[in-house]
Amino acid sequence: MGRSPCSSESGLKKGPWTPEEDQLLLDYINKHGHGSWRALPILAGLNRCGKSCRLRWTNYLRPDIKRGKFSDEEERIIINLHSVLGNKWSKIATHLPGRTDNEIKNFWNTHLRKKLLQMGIDPKTHQPITDLNLLVNLSHFLSHSNLASSMNPWNNALRLQAAEATQLANIQLLQNLMQVMNTGPLPKFEEPNLSELHIFNQSDGLATEMMNQYTMDPFHQPWNFQNSNFTPKLPCDHHVATNLPSYFENGSSGACNAQNDLFPALVSVSPETSTMNQRESENLTPIHSHSSNSNIFQDWEKLVDDGANSSFWKDIIDS
DNA sequence: AACGTCCACAACCGCCGAAAA
DNA sequence: ATTTTCGGCGGTTGTGGACGT
């Protein structure tokens, strides 16, 4: 059944290609095209298996291959596409002219994966790495920091920084709690029909615009700190939004004003829970079926209580 | 200078699905 | 309908260079 692998074919060379072999392969393909890869090495005078020739051509010798360092833009595109497509390197490569799937795969494994990990982002899920113990500790820390910041006679600048830091931590906690609350099975995310989504068809004006938005800053958080009128933004399309990393949502995107969807989005992540009880959603009642997370919710409630007078939580609750 | 370790990348391996026989 | 062949894909390994001790 099937074919014998290259390695078992006797006498065929393996390992790195020499410049002479490259030249033989190039000359042959330039004259005749590659045709049948199996027949090619014999016709080209190469002591290699056809598969090895094909890989050498597609990953290295092809004239349209762009070599060299990946640009920041390419990096962002890869991260964003990976968040949607996963390890579909060949599909990712189709959106990066001149780059091979192998090259992208290597770049991911050697650079981008580590980069995301360093940022506390799970490179598989593109979601913040959640650790319940860390979350609880963080919530306690935040409670104390809120109290401390209100009593400490710091100067205004320092107080402002502390408030921003606390707000940042609050947001991180909120996002992580959202993760915890979404512990149910995520909806199976079929490979998106990209042309249907109008995201990646670059000949499409809308697609280009969206692509630009998505790739503008993949590490952009959907929370806008620069704006004094703090405006949390979350995607309203749950099917897509819950499967995209938070940085996929660009704050400038006006297509989906998500404020109204904020809390439903917390739980409506799967078809099973998408018809969530309306009252529950309005009252923001924790879902007690997540009993294993009860401590988290207690801390969550405490955190909300502690910060109930702050504009931060008021903004969110009012929305 | 010699050695060990780490890292990046090219190349290989094994599997799969589609097409051909 | 079954088997064989082929191209393609994702995961893994091997190798050479950079760097530190």
Side-chain angles (χ1 to χ4, degrees), chain A residues 74-146:
Chain A
E74 287 176 313
E75 193 174 305
R76 280 189 283 264
I77 291 171
I78 292 169
I79 292 172
N80 283 337
L81 288 172
H82 186 273
S83 73
V84 179
L85 299 170
N87 293 358
K88 302 291 182 189
W89 306 117
S90 59
K91 289 199 167 49
I92 293 173
T94 62
H95 298 283
L96 290 162
R99 299 294 189 182
T100 68
D101 53 353
N102 205 40
E103 199 177 9
I104 294 167
K105 178 173 60 184
N106 284 332
F107 184 60
W108 176 267
N109 287 328
T110 55
H111 293 95
L112 297 182
R113 212 172 61 86
K114 292 173 189 170
K115 193 170 183 174
L116 291 183
L117 281 171
Q118 281 176 355
M119 297 172 65
I121 295 169
D122 186 336
K124 283 184 182 171
T125 63
H126 291 255
Q127 300 291 342
I129 295 168
T130 56
D131 182 314
L132 296 187
N133 293 327
L134 287 178
L135 290 181
V136 171
N137 291 338
L138 178 58
S139 74
H140 285 310
F141 167 77
L142 290 173
S143 303
H144 292 304
S145 72
N146 281 343

Side-chain angles (χ1 to χ4, degrees), chain A residues 6-295:
Chain A
C6 275
S7 54
S8 67
E9 294 179 32
S10 58
L12 293 181
K13 190 181 172 192
K14 287 171 59 178
W17 280 64
T18 65
E20 292 76 22
E21 289 177 310
D22 282 345
Q23 198 56 52
L24 280 172
L25 183 56
L26 267 174
D27 288 345
Y28 181 85
I29 291 179
N30 285 338
K31 278 183 190 168
H32 307 98
H34 63 71
S36 163
W37 286 110
R38 194 173 178 79
L40 183 146
I42 301 165
L43 298 171
L46 284 159
N47 190 30
R48 295 268 184 177
C49 71
K51 190 171 186 173
S52 180
C53 295
R54 179 172 57 81
L55 286 172
R56 183 63 178 170
W57 172 257
T58 55
N59 289 333
Y60 198 83
L61 295 176
R62 239 173 48 203
D64 57 330
I65 285 181
K66 185 203 291 183
R67 310 208 69 82
K69 200 173 178 292
F70 280 79
S71 68
D72 290 345
E73 182 68 9
E74 287 176 313
E75 193 174 305
R76 280 189 283 264
I77 291 171
I78 292 169
I79 292 172
N80 283 337
L81 288 172
H82 186 273
S83 73
V84 179
L85 299 170
N87 293 358
K88 302 291 182 189
W89 306 117
S90 59
K91 289 199 167 49
I92 293 173
T94 62
H95 298 283
L96 290 162
R99 299 294 189 182
T100 68
D101 53 353
N102 205 40
E103 199 177 9
I104 294 167
K105 178 173 60 184
N106 284 332
F107 184 60
W108 176 267
N109 287 328
T110 55
H111 293 95
L112 297 182
R113 212 172 61 86
K114 292 173 189 170
K115 193 170 183 174
L116 291 183
L117 281 171
Q118 281 176 355
M119 297 172 65
I121 295 169
D122 186 336
K124 283 184 182 171
T125 63
H126 291 255
Q127 300 291 342
I129 295 168
T130 56
D131 182 314
L132 296 187
N133 293 327
L134 287 178
L135 290 181
V136 171
N137 291 338
L138 178 58
S139 74
H140 285 310
F141 167 77
L142 290 173
S143 303
H144 292 304
S145 72
N146 281 343
L147 181 64
S149 64
S150 65
M151 297 174 67
N152 203 323
W154 289 340
N155 65 41
N156 288 340
L158 282 176
R159 247 202 305 267
L160 189 61
Q161 285 182 8
E164 284 177 352
T166 301
Q167 192 176 66
L168 176 61
N170 277 336
I171 289 158
Q172 183 64 50
L173 175 62
L174 174 61
Q175 285 192 319
N176 288 346
L177 281 166
M178 289 162 68
Q179 294 293 311
V180 172
M181 293 167 80
N182 288 338
T183 50
L186 286 170
K188 177 167 168 53
F189 190 50
E190 303 292 345
E191 182 185 316
N193 182 337
L194 299 181
S195 59
E196 208 169 76
L197 285 173
H198 291 288
I199 294 178
F200 300 112
N201 180 355
Q202 299 195 26
S203 64
D204 183 315
L206 173 62
T208 305
E209 184 188 346
M210 291 179 74
M211 190 71 171
N212 288 339
Q213 286 182 3
Y214 288 155
T215 59
M216 189 180 299
D217 182 1
F219 305 112
H220 176 84
Q221 294 295 317
W223 318 89
N224 185 356
F225 295 107
Q226 308 305 319
N227 188 337
S228 58
N229 295 321
F230 173 69
T231 306
K233 289 185 185 295
L234 286 175
C236 59
D237 181 346
H238 300 160
H239 173 63
V240 173
T242 56
N243 287 282
L244 297 180
S246 57
Y247 48 73
F248 220 72
E249 168 72 7
N250 188 291
S252 65
S253 171
C256 173
N257 183 343
Q259 291 200 47
N260 294 336
D261 294 325
L262 177 60
F263 281 100
L266 290 176
V267 291
S268 300
V269 296
S270 66
E272 293 78 21
T273 58
S274 62
T275 53
M276 175 184 151
N277 182 305
Q278 179 69 19
R279 197 174 58 81
E280 253 189 341
S281 80
E282 286 170 357
N283 293 341
L284 310 178
T285 309
I287 303 167
H288 296 294
S289 60
H290 290 78
S291 57
S292 62
N293 295 329
S294 59
N295 287 338

